[in-house]
Amino acid sequence: MSKLDLPDKLAFRSPGIDSNTSLLPFDILWEFPPGTWVENIAITKDGDALVNLLTSPEVYLVPTCPPHKPILVATIPRVIGLLGVTQVGVDVFYVVAGNFTLTSSGPGSYSVWKIDLRGVAPSAAKASKVVDIPQGIFLNGLTILNPVKGILLIADSGAGVVWSLDVNSKKLAIAINDTTMAPSEGPIALGINGLRIVGNELFYTNTNRVSFNKIPVDLETGKATGRGVVLATNPDLAPDDFTIDFQQNTWMASNAGNQLILLPGALNPSTTSVPIKIVAGTRDSTTVAGLTAAQFGTTAKDLERGSLYVTTTGGLLQYIHRNWTTGGTVSRVDLRLYLVP
């Protein structure tokens, strides 16, 4: 896979906000029990979904072909839950673990773990701690900067910075501290969240500031080589994690909005205002609620359908009021209507 999240030979139109395309349906592959927050997703070499839970420290493999029953891959000890996940090499994944809750960001509790699925059944995967990061305030999103050297970038949503981690030497440093990453005042400090490298730029969401941003970086160190730029900001975004296609479109999970949102051509916008297009979901949904992350599928069938796999919480308001109408899910949205003919 390239540093974009989309497999080869799949291209999309870039419809504007006035597009007449109807909302697309979610196909729920698996619904976890009520009160289960599915936080993030990666795709294995076989095209299955590897997902993290935030409400328990568990990693599951959810087959994308029936039957979809999840397989427990790993349980991380002495933490409440898991956050970001990224792939470094074939079937080698790294995850962020810590003690985040809706009332505490869990400062000092964070660590990064390696999940190795190579050559074994999913239930026999090897989980090993890479490093503790007691300096972290609220470690969240995770992405690969340099797959050859094994350097990761980690979003600290509470501190508003990006950490770099060499998984081989265990060297850890604050790589970027930019004002566009900072959280705002509120009950939960949730600044920079999801992040992705494309070319020599880091793209990232800021949840508190409802923005999508970019900053140029050094691909050896992860350090910023310029200032952050706000590409889009809109109260309707409610941005969490996101993925990017080869047409420079951003497909964003809107957690509080319960929606999948498209930002056409957002990486290099031709105007100062990037339009947004709601692709799937509704704010009042009680079935697929609280989108957290999205990744494109990689199988031949996924390419034909333009399949995007998304994870959900069961609804942010449902967690606040502890009145769940659904559990977190792993779902599929087929974007064939947006495929270039």
Side-chain angles (χ1 to χ4, degrees), residues 74 103 152 208 251:
T103 57
L152 308 180
N208 281 163
W251 304 81

Side-chain angles (χ1 to χ4, degrees), residues 64-65 86 119 171 193 309:
T64 55
C65 294
T86 195
K171 182 180 178 181
N193 191 331
Y309 293 90

Side-chain angles (χ1 to χ4, degrees), residues 157-160 179 181-192 206-210:
S157 298
T179 56
M181 300 177 174
S184 57
E185 295 295 329
I188 299 178
L190 189 50
I192 180 172
N206 185 316
T207 300
N208 281 163
R209 299 180 186 274
V210 292

Side-chain angles (χ1 to χ4, degrees), residues 35 37-39 53-57 78-84 96-111 136-141 155-159 183 186-193 207-208 240 255 292 313 316 319-320 322:
W37 180 307
V38 188
E39 170 64 11
L53 303 189
L54 184 60
T55 43
S56 60
R78 295 181 292 280
V79 292
I80 291 175
L82 307 178
L83 294 107
V96 172
N99 291 340
F100 172 81
T101 68
L102 289 181
T103 57
S104 171
S105 64
S109 67
Y110 291 95
S111 55
I137 302 300
F138 173 15
L139 300 190
N140 194 346
D156 192 328
S157 298
I188 299 178
L190 189 50
I192 180 172
N193 191 331
T207 300
N208 281 163
D240 200 323
N255 194 328
T292 52
T313 68
L316 184 59
Y319 273 88
I320 293 173
R322 304 189 67 81

Side-chain angles (χ1 to χ4, degrees), residues 254-266:
S254 175
N255 194 328
N258 299 337
Q259 294 164 327
L260 175 66
I261 292 177
L262 168 63
L263 279 64

Side-chain angles (χ1 to χ4, degrees), residues 149-174:
K149 294 187 175 182
I151 300 175
L152 308 180
L153 295 180
I154 311 166
D156 192 328
S157 298
V161 301
V162 173
W163 295 85
S164 65
L165 171 64
D166 185 323
V167 298
N168 297 308
S169 69
K170 313 297 171 47
K171 182 180 178 181
L172 180 72
I174 292 178

Side-chain angles (χ1 to χ4, degrees), residues 328-341:
T329 66
V330 178
S331 300
R332 192 186 77 229
V333 182
D334 293 336
L335 304 173
R336 61 165 61 92
L337 289 178
Y338 291 90
L339 287 172
V340 173

Side-chain angles (χ1 to χ4, degrees), residues 110-113 128-134 154 165 170 172:
Y110 291 95
S111 55
V112 172
W113 289 68
S128 56
K129 183 187 287 187
V130 178
V131 65
D132 287 313
I133 309 178
I154 311 166
L165 171 64
K170 313 297 171 47
L172 180 72

